[in-house]
Amino acid sequence: MAGKLITVEGGEGAGKTTQLAFMRDYLERAGHRVVLTREPGGTALGEEIRALLLGHRHDGMAPATETLLIFAARAEHLERIIRPALAAGHWVLCDRFTDATYAYQGGGRGLPPERIAVLENWVQSDLRPDLTLLFDLPVAVGLARAGRRGAADRFEREEWAFFERVRAAYRERAGRNPDRYRIVAADRPVAAVRAEVETLLAAWLERV
Ligand code: Z5A
């Protein structure tokens, strides 16, 4: 595949969405066609699954159900959006991807990572992100930002320890995959985060 898959990860209120538009513009200025998308979601079916996952109609959903719904949305997303875009040589910029499943369903909910790996291998085959930016910040800072935004979704109502496990799982994965991950210190003003993102992208672009 000629295109590249770049994913952006982090806990609640990390500032991913805020920086994604800048990242798209930056990559387009570097001469790439960019498809900006998100998970769960990115397709009509995926957005319906997202509404089931984030809404409160199914509070207490079993972790296995949650994980299978996420991978169902991911399968559709890969088939309809991500693989065609990469095959056409476009760069895909995705707000969350499978690292989020390892962090939230694995770290947060306690699902064994081996189970997630089975689904990852089945649904994605050998497709993995080329680059992942992890927006890392203390849980308290992220939750305060998310709280200012309005009503909490099903994940945002979780207990504090859940978000600490999510953060730990992300950091552990980043530590084990230093070639793919770049950690962004997200607990700083928007302009400072943006400057770091630009530096990281510029350095990475020189290598690919
Ligand atoms: N999920 C999962 O469990 N498993 C999976 O495999 C996948 C997802 C793929 C998606 O919801 C949920 O799905 C997610 C995990 C789960 N959990 N939750 N909730 P989402 O997309 O709605 O949630 P999110 O990805 O966490 O988005 P977010 O909370 O909006 O975070 P964000 O995109 O990183 O932040 P933001 O929208 O850019 O900024 C949040 C607020 O902070 C906003 O008011 C900004 O103006 C402000 N902000 C942003 N940057 C800054 C800085 N630098 N300083 C101060 N204030 C800032």
Side-chain angles (χ1 to χ4, degrees):
M1 288 186 188
K4 300 284 181 204
L5 174 59
I6 300 177
T7 59
V8 178
E9 301 280 359
E12 263 45 45
K16 298 177 280 82
T17 311
T18 301
Q19 299 293 338
L20 273 163
F22 163 73
M23 290 175 66
R24 178 192 53 206
D25 294 348
Y26 184 83
L27 293 171
E28 284 179 349
R29 282 200 303 277
H32 305 289
R33 292 275 305 272
V34 178
V35 174
L36 180 56
T37 185
R38 70 173 180 179
E39 290 211 347
T43 65
L45 175 54
E47 292 295 327
E48 288 192 33
I49 293 174
R50 179 187 178 90
L52 288 174
L53 286 163
L54 298 192
H56 293 287
R57 283 173 54 207
H58 305 287
D59 282 344
M61 181 186 298
T65 310
E66 187 175 277
T67 306
L68 290 166
L69 284 172
I70 286 165
F71 270 101
R74 185 163 295 139
E76 191 72 5
H77 197 200
L78 283 161
E79 177 77 14
R80 310 235 171 262
I81 306 290
I82 297 178
R83 287 191 191 280
L86 294 175
H90 301 167
W91 286 30
V92 177
L93 196 47
C94 194
D95 191 345
R96 297 193 184 280
F97 195 59
T98 307
D99 290 296
T101 316
Y102 283 101
Y104 282 79
Q105 283 64 51
R109 304 268 190 239
L111 208 74
E114 303 77 34
R115 298 244 177 101
I116 299 170
V118 168
L119 294 170
E120 179 181 40
N121 290 332
W122 177 39
V123 169
Q124 296 170 216
S125 289
D126 59 354
L127 181 68
R128 299 290 182 276
D130 295 287
L131 173 69
T132 298
L133 297 191
L134 172 60
F135 285 68
D136 182 58
L137 78 176
V139 169
V141 178
L143 287 181
R145 285 185 193 166
R148 282 195 288 275
R149 207 179 30 193
D153 65 34
R154 203 171 57 81
F155 289 94
E156 287 165 352
R157 284 204 186 158
E158 285 297 331
E159 58 187 16
W160 192 280
F162 175 89
F163 299 109
E164 294 288 3
R165 292 195 298 275
V166 168
R167 185 184 187 202
Y170 267 133
R171 288 162 63 100
E172 195 265 333
R173 283 182 70 72
R176 275 196 289 116
N177 300 284
D179 282 352
R180 170 164 72 86
Y181 266 101
R182 300 291 181 277
I183 298 183
V184 178
D187 182 17
R188 292 178 299 159
V190 172
V193 176
R194 178 173 304 181
E196 184 177 358
V197 167
E198 181 168 353
T199 303
L200 291 173
L201 283 179
W204 187 75
L205 284 173
E206 283 191 4
R207 287 180 38 193
V208 295

